[in-house]
Amino acid sequence: MTRVIYVNGRYLPYHDAKVHVEDRGFQLADAVYEVIEVSDNSLVDATRHLTRLWRSLSELSISPPMSEPALRHVMGQTIRRNRVRNGLVYLQVSRGESPRDFLFPDPPVPPTLVCLARATIPAQVDQRAETGIHIITMPETRWKRCDIKTVMLLPACLAKQQAHAQSASEAWFVDAEGLITEGASSNAWIVDRSGRLLTRPLDNTILPGITRRTVMDTAASLGLVVEESPFTVAEALDAAEAFITSATNTVMPVIMIDGQRISSGTPGPLCRQLRRSFARVAEHSPVGYVPSKLENQAFAP
Ligand code: PDD
């Protein structure tokens, strides 16, 4: 259970953690976020997640709310105060609080920073991975800058809700050419009948998933070649294996797409191998640890 949430410089009890109604994140979805896995008291791939956060901020011309070491400190404090050993830490940065206007506030206002941590039960995720998940496909309805991790998540909510109504746990978006872009909250992968490991190349149509990147490194460490190449729904239905990647799932097998079984309808061997090897390749930084190259930067939590 989340007990304490960091909001703009203060660690507040859950029910007191609030932002203003004229926060641009609330009114205009003018905000970006990150979700980082906490595994056995370590942050998983925090450096890559924070680098992506900085990129998202820069794409929207929002100033970073504090230095990277300070942000790591806030994450560490939030995780500790909630006694989270395994789970996730969520960061959100909005352009800040200002009377509603489409134009950016001029002069700029201080960005809003929220950080919360939540425990999960790793055995439950592992159990899901043993079975594999069901997904559905649906037409792409999102904007043309899916490479920025913004809180503009209504199409993702609608897609997940539709998946849930059909007893599935994820939805894959399909573009106008019939190619799968990505999941509502994950990247999409298949292993085709000739053993090729495929995932869509990075461009503005998908989020550059951190888990996707680390799974590519994991594949390389196992001598496997990843082809960054788009695939169709028909190719996914005919695949030997399918899976999704995201910070909260790492590698999660997909056994059913649109009600049709994938191969034998059980998690495939490559997918299992990538899931098993992921932790060995990912960066694990102990909660509260600040990499030495960042230690001497301005520190203002
Ligand atoms: N979602 N694609 C989309 C649209 C996502 O929202 C996510 C992550 C990913 C996977 O990215 P990563 O490997 O960096 O987690 C891909 C997070 C977990 C969420 O919104 O909860």
Side-chain angles (χ1 to χ4, degrees):
M1 203 183 72
T2 307
R3 284 178 250 231
V4 175
I5 300 183
Y6 174 93
V7 185
N8 287 335
R10 297 199 295 159
Y11 297 92
L12 297 167
Y14 187 85
H15 291 287
D16 298 335
K18 302 201 167 73
V19 295
H20 197 274
V21 291
E22 290 227 282
D23 191 278
R24 290 181 63 97
F26 175 67
Q27 287 186 330
L28 305 160
D30 189 1
V32 298
Y33 76 107
E34 279 297 327
V35 177
I36 307 177
E37 187 192 7
V38 180
S39 175
D40 210 8
N41 246 353
S42 289
L43 288 165
V44 179
D45 280 333
T47 305
R48 283 179 169 171
H49 280 281
L50 292 178
T51 302
R52 184 174 64 186
L53 177 63
W54 254 249
R55 177 187 179 269
S56 298
L57 289 167
S58 139
E59 288 298 306
L60 300 185
S61 306
I62 299 176
S63 309
M66 57 177 64
S67 71
E68 180 172 339
L71 195 50
R72 284 181 185 259
H73 176 78
V74 167
M75 287 195 291
Q77 281 293 314
T78 309
I79 292 165
R80 287 209 182 110
R81 287 172 194 234
N82 287 289
R83 298 187 187 20
V84 171
R85 191 177 175 83
N86 291 289
L88 61 87
V89 59
Y90 172 88
L91 291 169
Q92 184 178 317
V93 184
S94 85
R95 195 180 305 278
E97 172 188 320
S98 181
R100 186 175 181 277
D101 190 349
F102 290 95
L103 297 179
F104 299 171
D106 185 16
V109 293
T112 297
L113 171 63
V114 169
C115 178
L116 66 83
R118 179 162 297 154
T120 54
I121 303 165
Q124 278 176 359
V125 186
D126 287 341
Q127 184 51 50
R128 254 157 55 90
E130 275 305 306
T131 320
I133 59 164
H134 297 194
I135 65 161
I136 59 167
T137 61
M138 65 178 61
E140 180 65 88
T141 48
R142 302 172 304 164
W143 74 328
K144 293 196 167 68
R145 289 305 307 272
C146 292
D147 56 309
I148 310 173
K149 198 163 172 64
T150 75
V151 300
M152 207 166 57
L153 292 170
L154 189 52
C157 293
L158 295 176
K160 287 266 197 195
Q161 193 60 38
Q162 191 173 326
H164 180 71
Q166 292 175 230
S167 305
S169 37
E170 177 60 304
W172 280 2
F173 289 119
V174 183
D175 70 14
E177 278 85 57
L179 298 162
I180 286 156
T181 53
E182 63 178 335
S185 65
S186 59
N187 289 110
W189 297 69
I190 58 167
V191 180
D192 75 7
R193 294 268 173 187
S194 44
R196 294 187 310 155
L197 192 49
L198 302 176
T199 194
R200 190 179 172 101
L202 295 184
D203 59 15
N204 61 313
T205 63
I206 64 169
L207 185 77
I210 301 305
T211 319
R212 174 189 179 280
R213 178 66 249 171
T214 302
V215 166
M216 289 175 76
D217 295 345
T218 309
S221 81
L222 295 166
L224 303 167
V225 179
V226 176
E227 278 183 46
E228 292 183 85
S229 170
F231 51 87
T232 62
V233 176
E235 285 169 315
L237 291 171
D238 187 48
E241 301 185 33
F243 60 93
I244 60 167
T245 55
S246 76
T248 42
N249 287 298
T250 65
V251 179
M252 181 59 70
V254 169
I255 56 161
M256 185 98 84
I257 301 177
D258 291 335
Q260 202 171 307
R261 233 187 293 141
I262 302 307
S263 191
S264 62
T266 54
L270 226 59
C271 173
R272 283 173 174 279
Q273 200 180 6
L274 289 168
R275 184 175 174 83
R276 267 200 311 273
S277 305
F278 180 85
R280 176 174 53 74
V281 176
E283 176 202 53
H284 291 261
S285 38
V287 168
Y289 166 79
V290 178
S292 57
K293 73 175 165 77
L294 299 168
E295 241 164 27
N296 298 323
Q297 292 186 9
F299 193 73

